[in-house]
């Protein structure tokens, strides 16, 4: 009754308020997975300006253990949502709880405990097993989601754009293995680049932690940490994408996207297409980094580290000779057949790929030949990573190895460290997004295709800065974006499949759509709010931060992708590794 009085009263004075209340229901937005015992803890009451008090109850609803007042109303900058914060950081006792807000209702049940992201971190890695091409997923590893092999990729044709004197058009190579890129079944080198680099860096930053993680995959127990086993599955595929001259094909792909069918049913002809500078340099960076990491396992993986560095150098040399080969799909389709219309990943700027590859090659080989590219790079203006911008990956590596790098690199290392410091401080400068309390969402530009990966890449930056400065405020800031993706956002969804009380259930992910199983494959981070809505699906909410629909049609906000899961792997596991610091 009260609500209706309020609506009719407001509608006389101020029509927009009516729209707000009608469109956005009152609800409690909260991290649906949980909180570390000593970390900050809060929820948001959305669109309920008149609510006042909140109560934290045990999950059984038997006991009220905390009572507080909501903080002042904040109007969001990026939608008509209004929020009031319920701060319950004082609760430190492990347990299962929920929030009650009179006039609004109950929140999702959440946990307070140590190891709160343990299952999440493991699932984020396991998600890659479910993306594997060219092998069946067996029940003992895949459970409900066991499936047959898809895409053997033992016969992959050389596209007319990719011929050489050694490999003629319509001859074929074998390019098995690797992970499907996303909701589609193609395999793209550029996107594998940032994905592999991000996770290999996670391993280098938190080696002791990752060595203990078992994800129950076929290789588990072989003496190599599971995250490296998983990465090796894609690395072995990457090797096959290098031509005899060192250049690397842009992708292994169908000509057209498949229908929403299971992998085994997707049997369209496969091609490797045009070699390019971005693909070759991303490949070089990954192979160089992989070389120094897999070198630690000579018994289990004899010769692998050498093969990696050899491949890396060949790809680098090719790029030096071919420094401006852009992958422009539309242009290519004017000259070569069949037309290829799958994902583009067409980057035109290569300074960042040169920089990143040079950093990885320098860190692995200590060879000063790679230094000039690093010294000439505009380190001070480098910005947050995305598939098209891999600059900071180089900075992270320079700072990670600052003690081991040749002295001649010292200035560049100092510059890289300063950039990481400055970029992090800039994120903290205005206190983040006022209405949602997250570092993510301070700028409208954050809400791009794959916006959730922007949030996770910000957290990686902040964690790197924590590793440099040991100042805990950066870790706490990194946590705010986990709260965001796990439910404390304007949509109220937990953006990770299989986690939380209101997770994404209908990702644009062919196996999840086609397998006839209600639950999507778990551990996948969906793209997130994207007002671009390029998929033209039906969006009930279209504002910047609410432009999300849990519909498998909606690939612009609800697809999953290896380059979005990778920073999520990094962050969820890094926080687990560092939780003792948070709890101090
Ligand atoms: O499924 C495709 C997805 O992986 C891509 O991100 C997206 C944009 O390139 O395209 C999807 O495929 C759609 C195609 O572009 C248009 N026809 C419908 C396809 C999805 O059902
Ligand atoms: O992540 C990519 C995004 O930045 C682009 O705007 C978008 C359209 O080109 O493509 C996204 O990448 C898709 C790729 O092209 C095909 N596989 C699915 C990827 C995620 O949607």
């Amino acid at each position: 009754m009260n609500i209706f009085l309020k609506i009719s009263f407001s509608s006389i004075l101020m029509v927009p308020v009516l729209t707000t209340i009608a469109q956005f229901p009152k609800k409690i937005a909260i991290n649906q997975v949980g909180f570390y015992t000593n970390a900050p803890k809060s929820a948001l009451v959305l669109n309920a300006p008149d609510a006042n008090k909140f109560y934290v109850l045990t999950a059984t609803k038997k006991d009220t253990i905390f009572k507080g007042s909501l903080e002042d109303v904040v109007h969001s900058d990026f939608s008509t949502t209004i929020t009031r914060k319920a701060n319950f950081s004082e609760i430190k006792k492990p347990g299962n709880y929920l929030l009650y807000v009179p006039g609004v209702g109950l929140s999702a049940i959440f946990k307070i405990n140590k190891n709160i992201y343990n299952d999440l971190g493991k699932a984020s890695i396991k998600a890659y097993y479910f993306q594997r091409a060219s092998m069946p997923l067996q029940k003992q590893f895949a459970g409900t989601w066991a499936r047959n092999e898809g895409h053997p990729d033992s016969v992959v044709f050389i596209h007319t754009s990719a011929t050489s004197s050694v490999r003629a058009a319509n001859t074929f190579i074998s390019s098995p293995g690797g992970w499907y890129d996303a909701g589609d079944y193609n395999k793209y080198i550029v996107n594998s680049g940032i994905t592999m680099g991000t996770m290999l860096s996670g391993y280098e930053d938190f080696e002791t932690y990752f060595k203990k993680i078992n994800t129950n995959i076929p290789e588990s127990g072989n003496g190599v940490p599971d995250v490296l086993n998983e990465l090796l599955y894609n690395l072995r595929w990457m090797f096959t994408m290098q031509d005899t001259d060192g250049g690397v094909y842009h992708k292994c792909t169908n000509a057209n996207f498949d229908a929403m069918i299971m992998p085994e049913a997707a049997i369209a002809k496969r091609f490797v297409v045009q070699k390019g500078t971005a693909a070759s340099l991303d490949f070089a960076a990954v192979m160089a980094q992989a070389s120094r990491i897999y070198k630690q396992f000579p018994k289990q993986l004899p010769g692998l580290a050498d093969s990696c560095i050899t491949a890396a150098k060949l790809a680098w040399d090719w790029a030096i000779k071919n420094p401006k080969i852009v992958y422009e799909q539309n242009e290519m389709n004017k000259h070569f057949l069949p037309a290829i219309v799958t994902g583009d990943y067409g980057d035109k700027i290569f300074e960042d790929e040169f920089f990143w590859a040079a950093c990885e090659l320098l860190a692995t080989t200590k060879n000063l030949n790679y230094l000039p590219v690093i010294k000439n790079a505009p380190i001070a203006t480098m910005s947050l990573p995305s598939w098209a911008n891999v600059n900071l990956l180089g900075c992270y590596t320079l700072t990670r190895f600052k003690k081991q790098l040749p002295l001649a690199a010292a200035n560049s290392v100092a510059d890289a460290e300063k950039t990481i410091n400055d970029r992090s401080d800039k994120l903290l400068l205005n206190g983040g997004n006022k209405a949602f309390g997250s570092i993510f969402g301070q700028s409208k530009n954050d809400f791009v295709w794959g916006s959730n990966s922007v949030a996770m890449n910000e957290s990686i930056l902040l964690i790197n800065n924590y590793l440099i400065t040991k100042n805990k405020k950066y870790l706490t800031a990194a946590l705010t974006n986990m709260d965001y993706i796990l439910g404390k956002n304007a949509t109220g969804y937990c953006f990770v499949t299989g986690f939380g009380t209101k997770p994404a259930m209908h990702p644009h992910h062919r196996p999840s759509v086609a397998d006839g199983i209600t639950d999507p494959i778990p551990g996948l981070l969906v793209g997130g709010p994207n007002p671009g809505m390029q998929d033209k699906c039906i969006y009930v909410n279209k504002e910047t931060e609410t432009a999300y629909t849990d519909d498998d049609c909606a690939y612009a906000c609800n697809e999953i992708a290896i380059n979005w899961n990778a920073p999520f792997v990094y962050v969820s596991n890094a926080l687990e590794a560092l939780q003792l610091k948070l709890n101090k």
Side-chain angles (χ1 to χ4, degrees):
M1 193 61 181
N2 261 342
I3 306 172
F4 291 107
L5 282 177
K6 169 86 181 137
I7 291 175
S8 50
F9 176 66
S10 318
S11 64
I12 301 165
L13 295 176
M14 224 169 52
V15 180
V17 175
L18 171 69
T19 333
T20 307
I21 293 175
Q23 201 176 356
F24 297 116
K26 298 177 180 187
K27 61 185 163 205
I28 301 171
I30 189 167
N31 176 333
Q32 295 163 26
V33 173
F35 305 90
Y36 288 119
T37 46
N38 282 335
K41 303 168 197 76
S42 64
L44 295 167
V45 179
L46 307 190
N47 306 313
D50 297 336
N52 257 315
K53 298 271 179 237
F54 71 93
Y55 303 86
V56 179
L57 317 179
T58 51
T60 55
K61 295 183 210 141
K62 283 208 181 107
D63 301 301
T64 303
I65 61 147
F66 188 80
K67 182 176 150 188
S69 298
L70 297 174
E71 292 180 11
D72 291 345
V73 164
V74 183
H75 291 259
S76 179
D77 288 338
F78 301 117
S79 75
T80 40
T81 311
I82 57 176
T83 68
R84 296 191 71 172
K85 179 172 164 184
N87 187 344
F88 50 95
S89 300
E90 272 178 46
I91 308 175
K92 298 196 165 123
K93 192 173 164 219
N96 294 342
Y97 304 95
L98 46 75
L99 227 70
Y100 171 60
V101 181
V104 178
L106 293 167
S107 76
I109 293 176
F110 58 89
K111 285 187 163 52
I112 294 180
N113 215 331
K114 56 183 182 174
N115 308 329
I116 204 78
Y117 294 147
N118 192 274
D119 290 344
L120 193 71
K122 278 196 216 165
S124 69
I125 305 168
K126 183 68 177 268
Y128 288 84
Y129 167 73
F130 290 110
Q131 290 294 101
R132 289 188 188 186
S134 319
M135 64 177 274
L137 306 188
Q138 288 165 326
K139 208 166 174 92
Q140 67 187 115
F141 310 114
T144 327
W145 297 280
R147 62 163 170 82
N148 292 332
E149 171 184 352
H151 302 86
D153 283 341
S154 43
V155 177
V156 173
F157 289 88
I158 307 289
H159 188 248
T160 48
S161 63
T163 55
S164 71
S165 54
V166 184
R167 292 176 177 181
N170 296 320
T171 59
F172 64 86
I173 60 167
S174 175
S175 187
W179 305 308
Y180 298 128
D181 182 59
D184 63 323
Y185 293 140
N186 304 297
K187 305 186 289 194
Y188 308 79
I189 284 290
V190 167
N191 208 39
S192 268
I194 182 166
T195 302
M196 297 288 289
T198 301
M199 289 197 277
L200 288 170
S201 295
Y203 179 80
E204 289 194 306
D205 290 338
F206 304 101
E207 196 179 302
T208 317
Y209 165 85
F210 274 111
K211 279 188 165 150
K212 291 190 203 127
I213 298 296
N214 180 316
T215 57
N216 182 33
I217 51 178
E219 301 82 5
S220 295
N222 66 356
V224 177
D226 274 355
V227 70
L228 295 185
N229 279 321
E230 193 55 61
L231 288 160
L232 186 52
Y233 195 76
N234 200 58
L235 192 78
R236 290 205 193 278
W237 163 68
M238 290 181 77
F239 274 114
T240 70
M241 292 293 283
Q242 186 166 41
D243 195 359
T244 48
D245 64 355
V248 179
Y249 303 115
H250 192 71
K251 55 179 168 176
C252 170
T253 184
N254 300 353
N256 302 289
F257 282 115
D258 293 299
M260 302 305 278
I261 51 180
M262 288 299 280
E264 63 181 304
I267 51 169
K269 195 169 173 182
R270 303 279 263 184
F271 298 93
V272 285
V273 299
Q274 193 204 291
K275 289 172 281 189
T277 307
S280 300
L281 288 169
D282 284 339
F283 174 101
V286 169
M287 287 293 168
Q289 186 172 16
S291 176
R292 63 176 180 261
I293 294 173
Y294 288 99
K295 204 177 184 150
Q296 302 167 17
F297 305 93
K299 272 209 213 104
Q300 294 86 348
L301 303 166
L304 177 65
D306 288 344
S307 305
C308 287
I309 199 64
T310 305
K313 286 176 182 165
L314 276 172
W316 170 268
D317 292 345
W318 187 90
I320 293 287
K321 281 186 225 130
N322 299 276
K324 283 189 180 127
I325 313 262
V326 181
Y327 183 76
E328 269 182 303
Q329 196 155 271
N330 291 337
E331 201 46 41
M332 181 182 87
N333 286 338
K334 289 182 195 157
H335 307 284
F336 300 100
L337 286 173
I340 304 286
V341 303
T342 53
D344 201 330
Y345 291 121
D347 188 6
K348 295 190 173 63
I349 300 167
F350 305 128
E351 278 76 10
D352 55 312
E353 284 81 11
F354 270 110
F355 174 73
W356 178 36
C359 291
E360 299 303 344
L361 280 157
L362 175 74
T364 301
T365 64
K366 313 287 185 305
N367 185 329
L368 292 178
N369 288 342
Y370 302 107
L371 197 56
V373 170
I374 299 172
K375 282 193 173 293
N376 288 330
I379 294 182
T381 58
M382 290 180 177
S383 56
L384 211 64
S386 68
W387 62 262
N389 176 1
V390 290
N391 266 322
L392 276 194
L393 271 64
C395 290
Y396 298 152
T397 288
L398 291 184
T399 55
R400 180 180 313 123
F401 292 105
K402 69 172 164 190
K403 297 208 178 91
Q404 291 94 320
L405 288 176
L407 217 59
N411 287 340
S412 301
V413 173
D415 290 347
E417 198 165 290
K418 184 166 186 318
T419 293
I420 294 169
N421 293 158
D422 290 351
R423 285 271 151 199
S424 301
D425 284 336
K426 207 166 163 209
L427 284 177
L428 262 58
L429 189 64
N430 300 315
N433 175 306
K434 301 265 184 318
F436 287 88
S438 53
I439 290 297
F440 174 78
Q442 305 186 42
S443 155
K444 207 176 160 123
N445 301 334
D446 288 357
F447 297 92
V448 292
W449 190 319
S451 58
N452 285 335
S453 73
V454 175
M456 291 296 94
N457 273 307
E458 286 177 345
S459 291
I460 292 186
L461 170 63
L462 293 163
I463 292 168
N464 272 272
N465 202 39
Y466 166 78
L467 294 175
I468 295 168
T469 62
K470 296 291 180 302
N471 186 333
K472 192 173 126 181
K473 74 176 177 186
Y474 298 109
L475 265 192
T476 310
L479 265 181
T480 66
N481 287 350
M482 282 300 276
D483 287 346
Y484 172 89
I485 66 159
L486 298 176
K488 197 183 173 195
N489 59 61
T491 72
Y493 275 96
C494 171
F495 291 127
V496 179
T497 56
F499 285 83
T501 36
K502 195 188 177 190
M505 286 296 286
H506 306 285
H508 182 89
H509 181 232
R510 282 166 173 76
S512 294
V513 172
D515 63 8
I517 300 163
T518 307
D519 287 322
I521 283 164
L524 294 164
L525 178 68
V526 297
N530 170 15
M533 300 179 282
Q534 293 88 339
D535 47 53
K536 311 261 188 321
C537 300
I538 297 166
Y539 285 65
V540 174
N541 301 314
K542 300 183 173 65
E543 293 179 299
T544 306
E545 68 192 1
T546 60
Y548 171 75
T549 177
D550 182 20
D551 181 343
D552 56 54
C553 159
Y555 55 75
C557 71
N558 212 28
E559 191 164 354
I560 62 92
I562 55 172
N563 65 315
W564 305 338
N565 243 68
F568 168 55
V569 165
Y570 185 109
V571 176
S572 51
N573 289 291
L575 290 171
E576 276 293 293
L578 294 169
Q579 59 174 303
L580 285 178
K581 316 286 179 200
L582 274 164
N583 281 336
K584 248 186 218 158

